[in-house]
Amino acid sequence: QVQLVESGGGLEQAGGSLELSCVASETTSRIHAMAWYRQAPGKRRELVAVITRGGRSNYSDSVKGRFTISRDLAKNTVFVQMNSLKPEDTAVYYCNAKIGPLPSTASDYWGQGTQVIVSS
């Protein structure tokens, strides 16, 4: 039913920037929040940033001041602008969406992931 497609990953030098995008095949009214997670080799998947349909956002402490999450409701798309990249940011980044008729009963949907590698 629902598909999330990420793009924008790649190789970047430390201190550089990348922007990731994720588009959902779902109507805007059913998407209550969208988020970015990441998983580095040998580590658990962790939340990077989340944004609600109303525009409120939260960030992991490790990316505050460097990453910015945004969304385009009309296009069912979420972005994350990643600046001042560090080698520690190297991971597979996954798009997540909370989708359903009601926020309290929304289900999680995941993209396939896009690789980000930051070299020093």
Side-chain angles (χ1 to χ4, degrees), residues 6 56 65:
E6 303 103 330
R56 296 186 178 184

Coordinates of all heavy atoms in Angstrom, one line a residue, residues 6 56 65:
E6 N 13.4 7.2 -0.5 CA 14.4 8.1 -0.1 C 15.4 8.4 -1.3 O 15.6 7.5 -2.1 CB 15.3 7.6 1.1 CG 14.5 7.3 2.3 CD 14.3 5.8 2.5 OE1 14.2 5.1 1.5 OE2 14.1 5.3 3.7
R56 N 6.0 21.0 14.1 CA 6.8 20.9 15.3 C 7.9 19.8 15.0 O 7.6 18.7 14.5 CB 6.0 20.5 16.5 CG 5.1 21.6 16.9 CD 4.4 21.3 18.2 NE 3.5 22.4 18.6 CZ 2.9 22.4 19.8 NH1 3.0 21.4 20.7 NH2 2.0 23.4 20.1
G65 N 21.6 21.7 15.7 CA 22.5 22.7 15.2 C 23.1 22.5 13.9 O 23.7 23.4 13.2

